[in-house]
Amino acid sequence: MRSVITFCTYCSIPLLATGVVDAASVQLVIDTETSPRITFGVERLKESLVDARFEVRSSDTASIRPEEAVIHIGKRNSPTIRALASQGGLEVQDEARGPEGFSLLAMGSRVAVIGEGDSGIVCGCLDLASRS
C-alpha cells in the first residue's frame, strides 16, 4: 500500500532557461547508505528525467545549489530526510506505512521521495518517474 501526501510534477519545477540551454538542472540528494534496489529506482528516475530533457546530477546536502530544483530521496528517518524536515516547510509524517509505503512531498522547487523501506523508496522513485 502506498500513500501520496502531496505531489509536484516536473512541469512545475522551474526551468532555468539561460540562452540556448533547453534543459533545467535537477539535483538528486540520496542517502549515502543505499541498496542495489534503491540504486535501481534512482537510476530509473534519472533516466526519466533525462528523457524529459532535464540535466541531472547527484549531490550531497552540503553542495545543494539554491538555483536548481532538488529531489531528496531517502527513508523517513534517514539523515537526508531529517535534514530536509529541519529546514522547515516539509512535514514528514511519523506514521508507518509498511515496507512498500512511500510519500511524495513538495515545497517550491524541492521534492522528497520518502520511503518506509528500500521497497518504498523504489516504489516512490518509479511513481515519480512515471509522471514525467
Side-chain angles (χ1 to χ4, degrees), residues 8-9 16 19 33 37-38 40 44 49 52 56 69 82 88 103 115:
C8 171
T9 65
L16 304 172
E33 295 181 24
R37 296 177 69 197
I38 292 173
F40 170 81
R44 298 296 82 73
L49 288 166
V56 181
R82 282 194 311 244
S103 298

Side-chain angles (χ1 to χ4, degrees), residues 26-102:
V26 177
Q27 295 178 79
L28 297 179
V29 178
I30 307 158
D31 280 339
T32 55
E33 295 181 24
T34 60
S35 69
R37 296 177 69 197
I38 292 173
T39 301
F40 170 81
V42 169
E43 288 302 317
R44 298 296 82 73
L45 178 56
K46 283 182 185 178
E47 289 171 6
S48 177
L49 288 166
V50 169
D51 289 347
R53 302 176 53 97
F54 284 91
E55 181 182 313
V56 181
R57 71 180 187 86
S58 296
S59 66
D60 59 27
T61 306
S63 63
I64 291 176
R65 296 180 188 164
E67 70 276 6
E68 291 182 325
V70 181
I71 300 174
H72 299 266
I73 302 170
K75 294 179 185 173
R76 181 168 37 95
N77 294 319
S78 70
T80 298
I81 300 304
R82 282 194 311 244
L84 179 62
S86 71
Q87 295 170 5
L90 289 180
E91 291 186 30
V92 178
Q93 302 290 326
D94 281 337
E95 64 186 61
R97 292 185 170 77
E100 293 180 358
F102 68 91

Side-chain angles (χ1 to χ4, degrees), residues 79-131:
T80 298
I81 300 304
R82 282 194 311 244
L84 179 62
S86 71
Q87 295 170 5
L90 289 180
E91 291 186 30
V92 178
Q93 302 290 326
D94 281 337
E95 64 186 61
R97 292 185 170 77
E100 293 180 358
F102 68 91
S103 298
L104 300 176
L105 304 175
M107 181 184 85
S109 62
R110 291 185 177 215
V111 175
V113 177
I114 304 170
E116 289 298 317
D118 291 359
S119 295
I121 293 173
V122 172
C123 290
C125 286
L126 295 177
D127 187 272
L128 192 55
S130 72
R131 297 173 188 251

